[in-house]
Amino acid sequence: MFKQIGIAALVLCSSLVVPANASSIPYPDIGTPAPANSFVADATGTITAYFYATDAGYDSEIGLKVNGVSTGIYGLMNHTSFYGQSLVLGSVMMGDILEFELRVLTTGTSWYSDPLNNPDLKNHTYATGFAGDSFIPMGTYVAFEDLPYLGDVDYNDHQFVFTNVRNVSVPEPASLWLCAIGLMALMFTRRRVAS
């Protein structure tokens, strides 16, 4: 029994470090804050943003920080861009830490993919995998909420797909506990078999 629990926990733990994939687009849980996201460069090269959609009254544009430093490149205005329009946000090295910035021109506020850098300390992004189509390649879909304290919590105000980006979100604490329990069961089983 312990062996099966340990194997199941090992499978679960390995799935926690796999990049997030294929949840619903648009955000499926309107009214509920999305889990926080953390992004890295998947390979050495460039980060390209593709405009997906907008449902915002405010005017905004996207930018990028690489390892905490802005690339200084902004664009893909939400009310003048078209589906699939692209913008190269800068060059990266594999593993660089990426932080997306939504610069809301109407209010003069910026919202970041790292909640700790937001004035309200809330998570203003929803991210999932994007399979690609004839206009936008496969990548990571990221949608922003542009209102303080998450406003209407619909994460559809400015939506993009980024290439060469991997979402390495931290697992929820409950998942970490489950993983730890399973690993302990696996260790117990190994000791028992070795005796």
Side-chain angles (χ1 to χ4, degrees), residues 10-11 13 17 42 71 77 105 119-120 169 181:
L10 193 58
V11 169
C13 291
V17 295
D42 209 25
T71 62
M77 295 281 296
L105 304 174
D120 61 5
S169 298
I181 290 168

Side-chain angles (χ1 to χ4, degrees), residues 45-51 62 64 73 76 84-92 98 100 135-142 160-165:
T46 58
I47 302 295
T48 303
Y50 292 83
F51 182 78
I62 195 72
L64 173 68
I73 301 168
L76 296 179
Q85 184 175 350
S86 66
L87 172 68
V88 174
L89 291 172
S91 297
V92 293
L98 308 176
F100 299 109
F135 296 98
I136 300 177
M138 184 172 68
T140 301
Y141 168 90
V142 178
F160 305 91
V161 172
F162 297 97
T163 57
N164 195 22
V165 170

Side-chain angles (χ1 to χ4, degrees), residues 42-182:
D42 209 25
T44 298
T46 58
I47 302 295
T48 303
Y50 292 83
F51 182 78
Y52 188 89
T54 187
D55 189 27
Y58 293 155
D59 293 325
S60 55
E61 61 187 357
I62 195 72
L64 173 68
K65 286 184 177 182
V66 179
N67 298 323
V69 179
S70 174
T71 62
I73 301 168
Y74 292 90
L76 296 179
M77 295 281 296
N78 61 328
H79 291 129
T80 58
S81 297
F82 55 87
Y83 183 83
Q85 184 175 350
S86 66
L87 172 68
V88 174
L89 291 172
S91 297
V92 293
M93 300 292 287
M94 184 173 78
D96 280 348
I97 298 169
L98 308 176
E99 182 177 6
F100 299 109
E101 176 185 359
L102 182 69
R103 190 157 67 170
V104 184
L105 304 174
T106 307
T107 63
T109 306
S110 283
W111 301 108
Y112 298 92
S113 56
D114 181 348
L116 296 178
N117 291 329
N118 290 325
D120 61 5
L121 301 176
K122 302 288 184 186
N123 174 40
H124 282 258
T125 59
Y126 165 66
T128 188
F130 179 74
D133 61 25
S134 56
F135 296 98
I136 300 177
M138 184 172 68
T140 301
Y141 168 90
V142 178
F144 275 88
E145 176 56 58
D146 69 355
L147 296 172
Y149 298 98
L150 303 182
D152 50 8
V153 200
D154 58 6
Y155 297 96
N156 68 358
D157 297 316
H158 208 154
Q159 304 163 55
F160 305 91
V161 172
F162 297 97
T163 57
N164 195 22
V165 170
R166 187 165 26 110
N167 186 353
V168 290
S169 298
V170 178
E172 298 171 14
S175 299
L176 288 174
W177 275 110
L178 185 60
C179 183
I181 290 168

Side-chain angles (χ1 to χ4, degrees), residues 4-19:
Q4 287 92 358
I5 292 171
I7 291 169
L10 193 58
V11 169
L12 173 67
C13 291
S14 65
S15 71
L16 292 175
V17 295
V18 173

